[in-house]
Amino acid sequence: MEKGRETKVWAHRGASGYRPENTMEAFELAIRQGADGIELDVHTSADGQLIVIHDETVDRVTDGTGLVGEKTLKALKELKVSTSAEPEGIYRIPTLQEVLDLMRTTDMMVNIELKNSICFYPGMEEKVLKAVKEMKMEEQLIYSSFNHYSLLKMKQLDSQVQTGILFSDGWVNPAMYAKKLGINAVHPAVYHLKYPQFREEVKRAGLKMHVWTADKPEHIQLVKEAGAEAVITDYPDRAIALV
Ligand code: G3P
Ligand code: CA
């Protein structure tokens, strides 16, 4: 995992500044660019498969419409992921299994974000843990979510898993909150680094800090100076050059 950087570089939805987000091509490029990890988003299909896509619906990123959770894997695989990015090509929505198959060939971290704050996907936590366990990839994984109940469930199912709370700006001492819940890391938006005492609070709680989504040089610099363990970025090559 160690590539000698104090602040690791995790590719947000893959190298999504250059390839359609959450596609195999975006993850492959993150590997080629030398990222230390990837971040991805997971939902569940109508037939219970773990699907890597950001939104609850397929509308924004594909040529289809409707909820991910109401489509079968077969129907999801028929959709074309739309792209304005080069190179042109046919991009498809991957399953979590496909991404794990790829990442197992690396020593990179995989940050699975459980996208279950709006659609709850009963049983998703068990399925994700099972998939990772079967691949023997436990050491490479950290789980994050805006649904903190889901992170608690992950911990209940396996106390060894690494977890990080996602939150938006304006929270009072989210580090203390996370620590009390037995969570391992805070995953703040980059703007949260400017809140008074936040960095101190994280330090005091002894938690790790993985910051999203830092694409501008000044934001990447801010994350580095804050002493974060990882910067989550759409442009891993840019961040690597800066950290
Ligand atoms: O995990 C960090 C970040 O991805 C959370 O927000 O909306 O990009 O999934 P979002
Ligand atoms: Ca995400």
Side-chain angles (χ1 to χ4, degrees):
M1 242 67 43
E2 179 64 51
K3 293 192 186 173
R5 298 172 195 121
E6 278 176 27
T7 302
K8 305 293 184 199
V9 174
W10 295 357
H12 181 241
R13 311 180 196 173
S16 58
Y18 302 103
R19 296 290 185 275
E21 65 184 54
N22 282 320
T23 60
M24 293 306 289
E25 289 80 359
F27 300 123
E28 284 160 1
L29 183 58
I31 297 171
R32 289 203 298 280
Q33 289 191 345
D36 303 287
I38 61 162
E39 185 266 359
L40 58 86
D41 306 289
V42 172
H43 294 258
T44 305
S45 66
D47 47 350
Q49 301 297 310
L50 297 167
I51 306 295
V52 178
I53 187 168
H54 182 272
D55 301 353
E56 285 70 30
T57 73
V58 298
D59 301 24
R60 179 178 61 86
V61 298
T62 77
D63 57 350
T65 57
L67 289 165
V68 176
E70 289 182 352
K71 293 183 186 298
T72 61
L73 173 62
K74 185 170 179 293
L76 289 164
K77 279 290 184 188
E78 280 163 8
L79 299 175
K80 286 184 190 149
V81 175
S82 15
T83 175
S84 54
E86 295 291 336
E88 278 183 29
I90 309 246
Y91 298 91
R92 302 286 180 189
I93 299 171
T95 61
L96 180 64
Q97 190 60 53
E98 288 167 331
V99 181
L100 292 179
D101 282 338
L102 171 70
M103 298 313 295
R104 188 162 67 159
T105 65
T106 75
D107 62 357
M108 292 164 65
M109 281 300 290
V110 179
N111 174 190
I112 294 181
E113 181 185 344
L114 302 164
K115 274 284 182 210
N116 53 358
S117 332
I118 297 172
C119 300
F120 292 131
Y121 307 123
M124 183 160 85
E125 293 91 347
E126 286 89 341
K127 281 181 192 161
V128 170
L129 287 175
K130 185 166 177 269
V132 169
K133 196 169 181 198
E134 280 172 5
M135 303 285 286
K136 298 189 170 46
M137 289 178 69
E138 293 96 327
E139 296 290 310
Q140 273 176 271
L141 263 289
I142 179 163
Y143 303 95
S144 60
S145 186
F146 286 101
N147 180 345
H148 303 167
Y149 290 105
S150 187
L151 295 177
L152 290 183
K153 181 153 184 211
M154 295 293 278
K155 280 280 187 194
Q156 279 161 11
L157 291 168
D158 180 354
S159 61
Q160 298 302 308
V161 293
Q162 292 292 305
T163 50
I165 53 159
L166 283 162
F167 54 97
S168 50
D169 306 324
W171 280 43
V172 176
N173 207 339
M176 184 179 69
Y177 161 82
K179 175 118 178 144
K180 278 197 172 165
L181 292 181
I183 303 286
N184 310 95
V186 286
H187 288 213
V190 68
Y191 302 101
H192 206 91
L193 296 180
K194 296 179 181 171
Y195 277 65
Q197 293 127 29
F198 175 63
R199 298 178 215 183
E200 269 310 304
E201 288 162 358
V202 176
K203 223 183 205 176
R204 207 175 308 134
L207 299 184
K208 292 188 173 167
M209 178 162 64
H210 309 132
V211 186
W212 52 282
T213 303
D215 290 342
K216 294 180 184 166
E218 61 268 31
H219 283 163
I220 295 166
Q221 200 65 36
L222 182 64
V223 177
K224 181 185 148 109
E225 282 165 14
E229 276 72 22
V231 55
I232 304 176
T233 177
D234 297 340
Y235 300 91
D237 57 344
R238 267 187 213 172
I240 288 166
L242 285 166
V243 303

